[in-house]
Amino acid sequence: MSGDAQEAAVDLVVAGAGGGLAGALRAAQAGLSVLVVDPDEQFLRGNNTSMSTAMVPGAGSRWQREAGIEDSPERFVADIAAKTHGTADPALAAALARISAPLVEWLADEAGLPLSLVTDFAYPGHSVHRLHTVEGRHGSTLLRHLYDRVRSAPGIDLLVPARLIDVERGAGGEVTGAVVEDPGGHRETIPTRAVLLATNGYGADRELVARHLPEIAAADYHGGQFSRGDGLRIGLRHGARAAYLDAYQGHAALARRSRTLVGWATIMHGAIMVDRDGRRFGDETTGYSEYAAALAARPEARGWIVLDRRIHDLCLPFTDFRQTVDAGALVWADDLDTLARRTGCDPAALKESIAGQAAQAGGSADRDAFGRTFFEEPLRAPYAAVEVIPALFHTQGGLAVDGDARVLTEDGSPVPGLFASGGAAHGISGHGAGGYLAGNGLLPALGLAWQAATALSHTHTHAERHEHS
Ligand SMILES: Cc1cc2nc3c(=O)[nH]c(=O)nc-3n(C[C@H](O)[C@H](O)[C@H](O)COP(=O)(O)OP(=O)(O)OC[C@H]3O[C@@H](n4cnc5c(N)ncnc54)[C@H](O)[C@@H]3O)c2cc1C
């Protein structure tokens, strides 16, 4: 192991340098000592936070106010309830919605993230513009800013590569140590009074994915390779309850050729998705997550997003989209016969799909066959198409937590000193893939880590007061 391992007890061990870094920074700002451990030397490029599109919701943020957008935690909770058909944990949804605006403001002011509000298109399910992001719209930038702050903050040490493999607990059940292991198998116990499991979910564990998420098990996994379910296993070993293990974020727009993200902004600007044969198969605007399983069910589990020059230009602010273009994953054609030839789609089916889009967007058709109501503008030549496959991005079920990220046991009581965030905790997307709203991966990742640190700093202050009284 390299890094600055400590002999004396630390206040908090954060396992996982993704969203967990928000908790590390918040705890250090409250005067707590923190050790961050991560087994991935490439975590700045390899974990989910770094791979993400960096969209973070904030309901009622100052950017929204400046843009004249009225929003509130209650409105956000209502959007979550609508998208999940009322199946998301209401208490956790309310807690995360409540802190979402303070969180994004803290990320800008205290963590140095150059955030702005996304107003150039609407993500499915959000009734107002409430997603905040960084320049380039990429998680590697978000994580880099967070990491730079962590490195310059007093009171935070990093131990990498080191994997948390267990926690130790005292006679009263409280956390007393974090057991970490280096790649050579050397183990040590770091004395601590709290551990934050920020190890993400189990997307990289094929066996767990097959057991809990059979509908997406054959799809590409496009997330961090260290998301092996460690936090889940550790928590369960200590009597925690698991919740929503069947929940996940899928994505239907992974470019087959370059394995880069095409992005759903294409769709929201008017693109359509057709299957291998050139046929549309649903209302794409319901959401990219559930569309992954829909695409997986089509012949050969592949399809095409069809766009045009206007949509191409509108999507260029996304690093992922630019990388997809640069990788040569788009095929261009001046007319639909050529496009059909280049994609291998049936020409008649492809023409019918494009004609339908044009009729809807141009206002000459009454109703889309799949109920889609929004197509922005008719697609115009030259056309482009990018072949897509379904992907699993991350799992949304995990250890049951409360709004302070405290890990809960079967009887609802917390395991003292044990916290979980992000993919290690249960999320707010209900069951399956359909409840996922853009931003509701990073919100529990950053937000629960932040909440854990806040809760811990309160108990710390209380304990200190007690000691000195
Ligand atoms: C392409 C893509 C785009 C996305 N876009 C968005 C978006 O725009 N908005 C959004 O909200 N969500 C998005 N998501 C989802 C989002 O990335 C995740 O929900 C979120 O980043 C999870 O954060 P995390 O902290 O739980 O996990 P991670 O960021 O993956 O961090 C977990 C860390 O824990 C480490 N670790 C694993 N096991 C151990 C162990 N035993 N001990 C110590 N450390 C360990 C890992 O190495 C890793 O560094 C996207 C996902 C993908 C794949």
Side-chain angles (χ1 to χ4, degrees):
M1 289 181 222
S2 64
D4 324 305
Q6 305 188 346
E7 291 301 315
V10 290
D11 293 315
L12 173 66
V13 169
V14 175
L21 291 186
L25 191 57
R26 176 85 164 167
Q29 287 177 339
L32 305 183
S33 57
V34 184
L35 176 69
V36 180
V37 299
D38 199 299
D40 184 4
E41 283 176 294
Q42 308 300 325
F43 66 88
L44 282 170
R45 282 282 173 183
N47 64 29
N48 265 46
T49 301
S50 75
M51 295 170 73
S52 76
T53 317
M55 296 289 158
V56 190
S61 76
R62 64 171 184 251
W63 294 273
Q64 289 179 310
R65 281 197 301 281
E66 282 160 17
I69 294 167
E70 267 189 40
D71 198 10
S72 65
E74 293 72 27
R75 185 169 184 156
F76 188 12
V77 168
D79 288 348
I80 293 168
K83 190 79 171 70
T84 60
H85 301 290
T87 60
D89 175 347
L92 190 60
L96 285 172
R98 195 175 56 247
I99 62 149
S100 63
L103 174 70
V104 289
E105 291 179 7
W106 177 86
L107 285 168
D109 299 339
E110 304 291 336
L113 262 69
L115 287 179
S116 61
L117 184 68
V118 178
T119 55
D120 53 351
F121 74 101
Y123 270 102
H126 287 288
S127 58
V128 292
H129 293 304
R130 67 163 67 95
L131 291 167
H132 303 71
T133 194
V134 292
E135 178 71 20
R137 304 181 177 189
H138 203 263
S140 55
T141 306
L142 182 155
L143 191 59
R144 167 56 70 177
H145 277 286
L146 209 44
Y147 175 71
D148 286 348
R149 278 301 155 104
V150 161
R151 288 316 278 160
S152 61
I156 309 180
D157 288 322
L158 247 92
L159 191 59
V160 178
R163 180 179 190 179
L164 181 81
I165 54 166
D166 207 352
V167 295
E168 288 184 355
R169 295 162 71 203
E174 77 285 3
V175 167
T176 56
V179 185
V180 298
E181 187 179 83
D182 72 12
H186 171 71
R187 285 183 185 188
E188 68 174 297
T189 299
I190 292 152
T192 183
R193 65 190 184 87
V195 169
L196 170 62
L197 301 168
T199 54
N200 206 354
Y202 58 85
D205 184 314
R206 302 309 300 174
E207 195 270 321
L208 282 178
V209 169
R211 189 187 322 161
H212 297 296
L213 312 172
E215 70 180 17
I216 201 72
D220 263 42
Y221 170 59
H222 188 72
Q225 291 309 316
F226 284 83
S227 303
R228 298 171 179 166
D230 286 358
L232 179 64
R233 282 193 200 85
I234 292 169
L236 292 178
R237 216 178 291 143
H238 291 274
R241 181 168 66 85
Y244 294 96
L245 286 180
D246 61 342
Y248 70 95
Q249 184 205 348
H251 211 298
L254 189 67
R256 184 180 186 212
R257 187 159 163 184
S258 52
R259 294 299 202 262
T260 51
L261 184 61
V262 183
W264 219 242
T266 50
I267 296 290
M268 300 312 282
H269 281 307
I272 57 169
M273 187 180 292
V274 296
D275 64 11
R276 180 202 67 178
D277 301 328
R279 292 187 176 81
R280 281 184 62 222
F281 50 94
D283 174 4
E284 300 89 337
T285 61
T286 51
Y288 49 79
S289 181
E290 55 270 58
Y291 231 67
L295 179 59
R298 303 307 292 176
E300 294 180 29
R302 61 189 180 88
W304 295 87
I305 290 179
V306 184
L307 59 148
D308 61 9
R309 176 67 64 192
R310 181 188 67 86
I311 296 172
H312 167 277
D313 293 351
L314 286 170
C315 293
L316 287 176
F318 287 87
T319 301
D320 287 317
F321 183 77
R322 281 201 308 277
Q323 285 173 349
T324 304
V325 173
D326 292 346
L330 268 64
V331 293
W332 287 90
D334 287 334
D335 57 69
L336 291 176
D337 283 317
T338 312
L339 192 68
R341 210 173 43 251
R342 294 201 171 143
T343 56
C345 291
D346 174 65
L350 185 63
K351 280 180 191 168
E352 191 183 321
S353 297
I354 304 287
Q357 190 277 354
Q360 290 296 329
S364 63
D366 281 350
R367 197 181 149 271
D368 175 55
F370 302 101
R372 178 168 167 177
T373 54
F374 183 70
F375 288 91
E376 217 164 272
E377 284 186 29
L379 292 168
R380 293 187 182 90
Y383 303 101
V386 52
E387 192 174 17
V388 287
I389 53 172
L392 167 64
F393 272 15
H394 71 276
T395 56
Q396 286 265 295
L399 300 170
V401 293
D402 64 13
D404 285 332
R406 299 183 303 172
V407 171
L408 304 175
T409 60
E410 287 293 342
D411 68 12
S413 62
V415 179
L418 193 60
F419 298 87
S421 59
H426 82 282
I428 50 173
S429 303
H431 297 283
Y436 184 77
L437 274 175
N440 284 355
L442 286 174
L443 177 59
L446 301 163
L448 283 174
W450 198 68
Q451 284 292 83
T454 308
L456 189 64
S457 66
H458 289 156
T459 57
H460 188 74
T461 315
H462 181 76
E464 266 184 349
R465 262 196 235 112
H466 204 68
E467 265 170 29
H468 294 129
S469 61

